Amino acid sequence: RGFVTYSNRSKVEMVGVDSGTLESFGAVSEQVASEMARGGVTHSDAQCALSITGVAGPDGGSESKPVGMVCFAWAGFNGESQSMVQYFQGDRQAVRTQSVFFAIREAVKLLAS
């Protein structure tokens, strides 16, 4: 199952992200990514889930969250969850492509461990 939760409202309604987490940390944060991944498992029959939230650009970046900043989380892999932040270069498509490859590569590592 897949969830596309671009808006904060959809993050809350579809995968159970706490609105307080969104207010405290913002949509682009490890905390929100973690809640999204855990919610992906909880709100589906999946045994594991991954989430991605970030600033792909070309606009929307800030000093603290620049374009290319992407937060990832994986939940349910071997009973564990983890999150991390990466910074990618390039235009919107390049950031999105790098994000997908990174998320899948890390998921494969978790599945193999």
Side-chain angles (χ1 to χ4, degrees), residues 60-99:
S62 67
E63 188 172 317
S64 62
K65 296 180 182 182
V67 169
M69 178 184 171
V70 183
C71 303
F72 300 88
W74 302 264
F77 290 83
N78 299 323
E80 299 177 18
S81 66
Q82 68 178 44
S83 64
M84 64 179 63
V85 176
Q86 294 291 303
Y87 296 87
F88 300 114
Q89 299 296 315
D91 64 12
R92 181 176 182 81
Q93 188 58 44
V95 170
R96 292 175 69 175
T97 299
Q98 292 170 83
S99 297

Side-chain angles (χ1 to χ4, degrees), residues 22-94:
L22 286 162
E23 290 174 24
S24 296
F25 300 100
V28 178
S29 64
E30 283 187 84
Q31 294 83 353
V32 168
S34 293
E35 289 188 21
M36 288 169 60
R38 288 192 302 270
V41 172
T42 302
H43 293 88
S44 70
D45 290 331
Q47 295 178 358
C48 57
L50 64 87
S51 67
I52 303 173
T53 183
V55 185
D59 302 318
S62 67
E63 188 172 317
S64 62
K65 296 180 182 182
V67 169
M69 178 184 171
V70 183
C71 303
F72 300 88
W74 302 264
F77 290 83
N78 299 323
E80 299 177 18
S81 66
Q82 68 178 44
S83 64
M84 64 179 63
V85 176
Q86 294 291 303
Y87 296 87
F88 300 114
Q89 299 296 315
D91 64 12
R92 181 176 182 81
Q93 188 58 44

Side-chain angles (χ1 to χ4, degrees), residues 2-17 39-40 42-44:
F3 299 94
V4 177
T5 59
Y6 190 79
S7 71
N8 286 354
R9 181 177 175 182
S10 65
K11 287 173 177 55
V12 171
E13 292 177 357
M14 295 174 71
V15 292
V17 172
T42 302
H43 293 88
S44 70

Side-chain angles (χ1 to χ4, degrees), residues 91-111:
D91 64 12
R92 181 176 182 81
Q93 188 58 44
V95 170
R96 292 175 69 175
T97 299
Q98 292 170 83
S99 297
V100 170
F101 281 110
F102 180 82
I104 292 171
R105 185 174 59 245
E106 292 301 313
V108 168
K109 287 180 190 176
L110 288 169
L111 288 169

